Amino acid sequence: MSRLKNWLSKEDKSLRSAEQKSRRPAADGDAKSGLKSAGVIETETNFYRYLVSKALLLPQVEEVDTEIPDNRILLDVELAPALARQATKQENKELFNALKAQLFQDVEARVENRLTAIDEETYHRFTISPYLMDAVNIVNTKAASISRIKPLVLKHASVVQNLVGVMNRFGLVNRSDDKPLESKDAELCLGFLGIEKLRVFLPYLIVHESLKDTGSKFHQPSRKIWNHVQITAQAASALATLEEELDPDEVYMMALFHEMGATMLLHLVDECFYETRRELSRDAAESGASEVSHKLAEITSAVPVLDRLMPTKAKALSAEIAARYKLNFFRLAPTLQELAQSLSIDDMGPAARVIAQGRSYAVFKQMYREELIDKVEATALLNYYQIDAEKMKLLNKQKYLKVPKVEP
């Protein structure tokens, strides 16, 4: 957060001037990436699985549960009861696994059905408010002003509280009575920031708040997605300084929103899980199978469903959500649509390309830290997305993007 504090409290300085000498147009002779290799596809799939749970990518340890001790010989009178208890445990385990498999299958089917035709209520509950996205659209216009943004932002108490909390934490705005800022001081905070800083800071607050909302349902995935979008946005913004036609701030904003689909899936899978479990438990209780109902209560989340759906649904869902907003001055929907399609990196537009490159660097950085990617896999990923030595040097020399022990 110290980077954010420095940025908020200093004069606006663009990376563009600092990297002016590094900027160059793409050469005609640059190597083409072509289609993704199976290895790159697997790495990206595994990254989504890592976002769901790192344990999914680690070797599974088989549990050994026996009533027969290894350190002594049982008498005949002890052996029969021990074997009976072990058989009962095995039956219970098989029943529990069968219930889990059925439950997760039903949850996945329910989620798939909901995704086929998402109703307005679901969009309203599980996506960013259109009013906030309208505010994002306004800050990207030449006629942007605090007075136009203020009524849209103040509609959302959670975003206001987040804004005031950040300003209090950094001590950037002081009231006349020197007391901590309160929600009623939001207008003072907006005025202090001004349009230029708010242009980048508002999307940051909005995305942060949307992921805080999922944190009570899937804490670790929400935290990792938040880290991921921040790294992606910072990396993409830095790479945009190498492109004449791109605005690094606009690229940063678009990159922050690129995992809206993953965020919505956290909500949707959680809701479908509890609905399905409740129905199965009720049916079991009505049929007299109280043991089944009790065991269903022991299943507390649908991580395996997220594991199957996140890699295949998140990108397209992000583009679908973005297309619903009326963002005439913020090209989010077309950019996310390019990212969702199976396009070669060479076939993407400039904005989509640097976001895809920033995202690949974030995938590398996060998986490298967790020791989930080896040198061969990392090289294939970065080469496909054309992260060459020059780009690696640009990214890795920045404190918040640096990967320890990695040199370009």
Side-chain angles (χ1 to χ4, degrees):
M1 291 294 288
S2 55
R3 171 185 180 273
L4 181 59
K5 179 179 180 180
N6 291 336
W7 177 78
L8 288 173
S9 57
K10 290 182 178 180
E11 293 297 323
D12 187 26
K13 294 181 180 180
S14 172
L15 278 170
R16 185 183 297 275
S17 59
E19 300 298 336
Q20 188 78 25
K21 63 181 181 180
S22 300
R23 189 190 296 123
R24 63 175 181 83
D28 293 337
D30 283 354
K32 299 294 183 182
S33 291
L35 298 176
K36 288 183 185 178
S37 67
V40 173
I41 294 173
E42 182 180 8
T43 297
E44 294 185 322
T45 298
N46 284 342
F47 178 71
Y48 270 120
R49 300 188 69 201
Y50 154 73
L51 291 180
V52 175
S53 174
K54 180 181 177 180
L56 295 168
L57 299 176
L58 300 177
Q60 300 298 309
V61 179
E62 186 174 350
E63 294 183 11
V64 178
D65 185 13
T66 178
E67 288 285 336
I68 303 176
D70 295 328
N71 58 350
R72 70 185 182 88
I73 299 175
L74 292 181
L75 302 175
D76 288 344
V77 70
E78 298 175 301
L79 183 59
L83 290 174
R85 289 194 300 271
Q86 185 168 323
T88 300
K89 280 189 175 182
Q90 184 62 30
E91 289 176 4
N92 289 338
K93 183 177 180 180
E94 291 173 357
L95 172 62
F96 184 69
N97 289 338
L99 283 172
K100 281 202 301 186
Q102 183 62 53
L103 174 60
F104 294 151
Q105 181 180 332
D106 291 350
V107 171
E108 184 172 352
R110 185 178 292 235
V111 174
E112 292 273 14
N113 288 337
R114 294 276 294 273
L115 289 174
T116 301
I118 304 175
D119 57 70
E120 289 297 325
E121 182 188 359
T122 299
Y123 276 121
H124 176 72
R125 291 188 296 126
F126 296 155
T127 62
I128 296 168
S129 165
Y131 293 113
L132 291 175
M133 295 306 290
D134 285 346
V136 172
N137 191 48
I138 290 172
V139 297
N140 281 280
T141 67
K142 292 182 179 180
S145 66
I146 297 297
S147 61
R148 294 180 65 195
I149 295 167
K150 182 180 67 174
L152 300 171
V153 174
L154 296 184
K155 287 177 181 286
H156 298 273
S158 58
V159 173
V160 169
Q161 290 171 1
N162 201 350
L163 167 65
V164 172
V166 170
M167 304 303 274
N168 273 329
R169 196 177 315 131
F170 295 156
L172 298 175
V173 181
N174 295 319
R175 291 182 9 166
S176 58
D177 57 7
D178 290 330
K179 291 183 178 179
L181 297 168
E182 300 175 4
S183 296
K184 63 182 181 181
D185 300 311
E187 187 173 352
L188 175 65
C189 297
L190 293 175
F192 169 82
L193 289 170
I195 286 297
E196 285 304 314
K197 288 186 172 67
L198 199 60
R199 185 173 180 235
V200 176
F201 188 45
L202 181 60
Y204 177 96
L205 283 176
I206 291 170
V207 175
H208 184 220
E209 196 60 39
S210 71
L211 283 162
K212 281 172 64 179
D213 195 32
T214 62
S216 60
K217 302 174 181 180
F218 293 98
H219 174 67
Q220 289 299 322
S222 297
R223 181 183 58 81
K224 287 187 281 190
I225 291 172
W226 174 232
N227 288 338
H228 173 64
V229 297
Q230 288 184 92
I231 297 169
T232 299
Q234 292 175 31
S237 177
L239 292 170
T241 63
L242 304 178
E243 304 282 345
E244 286 280 0
E245 65 270 43
L246 292 180
D247 176 357
D249 285 349
E250 184 179 20
V251 168
Y252 177 89
M253 295 165 69
M254 289 191 286
L256 281 175
F257 290 109
H258 86 277
E259 290 293 3
M260 290 190 296
T263 306
M264 183 176 182
L265 278 173
L266 296 180
H267 285 293
L268 199 54
V269 169
D270 181 74
E271 180 169 272
C272 290
F273 165 72
Y274 282 105
E275 289 175 352
T276 306
R277 192 183 69 169
R278 186 166 54 249
E279 291 175 5
L280 289 177
S281 182
R282 182 192 61 213
D283 293 343
E286 290 176 354
S287 63
S290 58
E291 183 181 355
V292 170
S293 179
H294 176 71
K295 287 189 174 297
L296 282 169
E298 297 177 10
I299 307 172
T300 57
S301 75
V303 164
V305 179
L306 270 179
D307 181 40
R308 287 193 290 271
L309 294 180
M310 190 83 82
T312 59
K313 303 293 185 183
K315 287 184 179 180
L317 189 54
S318 293
E320 182 179 338
I321 294 168
R324 293 180 53 81
Y325 299 119
K326 297 178 181 179
L327 306 175
N328 302 326
F329 300 96
F330 185 44
R331 290 180 51 80
L332 181 63
T335 302
L336 294 190
Q337 185 62 43
E338 287 188 68
L339 293 173
Q341 295 171 345
S342 299
L343 295 177
S344 162
I345 188 73
D346 301 296
D347 296 328
M348 293 181 179
R353 183 170 61 250
V354 296
I355 293 173
Q357 290 174 328
R359 185 182 188 280
S360 70
Y361 187 80
V363 169
F364 161 63
K365 177 176 170 62
Q366 288 179 272
M367 295 189 76
Y368 178 86
R369 179 184 177 186
E370 300 290 345
E371 300 182 346
L372 295 174
I373 189 171
D374 61 30
K375 186 175 182 180
V376 173
E377 293 166 335
T379 300
L381 176 71
L382 297 175
N383 282 347
Y384 173 78
Y385 284 100
Q386 301 177 3
I387 306 293
D388 56 20
E390 178 186 3
K391 293 184 176 71
M392 280 291 289
K393 185 177 180 180
L394 169 65
L395 296 173
N396 206 33
K397 74 180 183 180
Q398 299 182 53
K399 178 180 178 181
Y400 296 96
L401 295 177
K402 183 174 178 60
V403 179
K405 301 181 182 179
V406 171
E407 297 296 336

